[in-house]
Amino acid sequence: IGSGAFVQPATASVPVCGGEPRCHEVARVDVNGDGTPDRVALVRRGGNRAEHGSVTVRVKTSPTHVESARRRTFFWSGGLWQGAGALDGRPGRELVVGHAMGAHAEFFWVFTWRHGHLVTLRAPGGDPDWGVDGAANDVLGWQSLSDAPAGQVRHLVGERQTDRRMKGTVTTY
């Protein structure tokens, strides 16, 4: 002031939860692929086993930007946050969040970073979510092995046969 120099106003840092009620930070992991850990938070609407609920995933990628995506939940019990992993072979981690639960099956949303936004990563084969099932007569699941090439996942499907042995397939994507 008085010197003629322009001073850039300070920009306040935005918190990952941004004042959202029931928002909880769950991880610090690089989501957008820039090599810097991002803050990840979840907002749950609807209680345990709620027939109609939702989850909002919030990712703080810079001091002033929080990106979010909201999806429905259905009868999910327990914590929604399942973890982060390298599932698509691109820089940045994918975020795994539970969304639907049955007697022995669970279905998960997988979020990834595309063109500056959080989007849902479809399971290989095109399903919008990633299913896991385990019962007396069938099994269904996904694996991402730490020693596998980046982005490689395996899909396991099995059924109990009349001779009581399990038989199935493992497909690598």
Side-chain angles (χ1 to χ4, degrees), residues 59-136:
V59 178
K60 181 178 177 179
T61 57
S62 75
T64 60
H65 182 74
V66 176
E67 180 71 21
S68 66
R70 182 177 172 193
R71 301 290 183 273
R72 292 181 181 201
T73 59
F74 181 74
F75 286 115
W76 188 266
S77 181
L80 292 164
W81 176 249
Q82 300 297 306
L87 299 177
D88 69 356
R90 296 180 184 204
R93 300 283 186 211
E94 283 65 53
L95 309 174
V96 182
V97 177
H99 86 85
M101 186 178 280
H104 47 78
E106 297 177 345
F107 298 88
F108 304 89
W109 297 126
V110 176
F111 294 90
T112 192
W113 193 261
R114 293 289 187 276
H115 311 292
H117 300 284
L118 278 176
V119 298
T120 306
L121 179 66
R122 290 180 169 271
D127 288 336
D129 53 17
W130 299 58
V132 175
D133 193 359

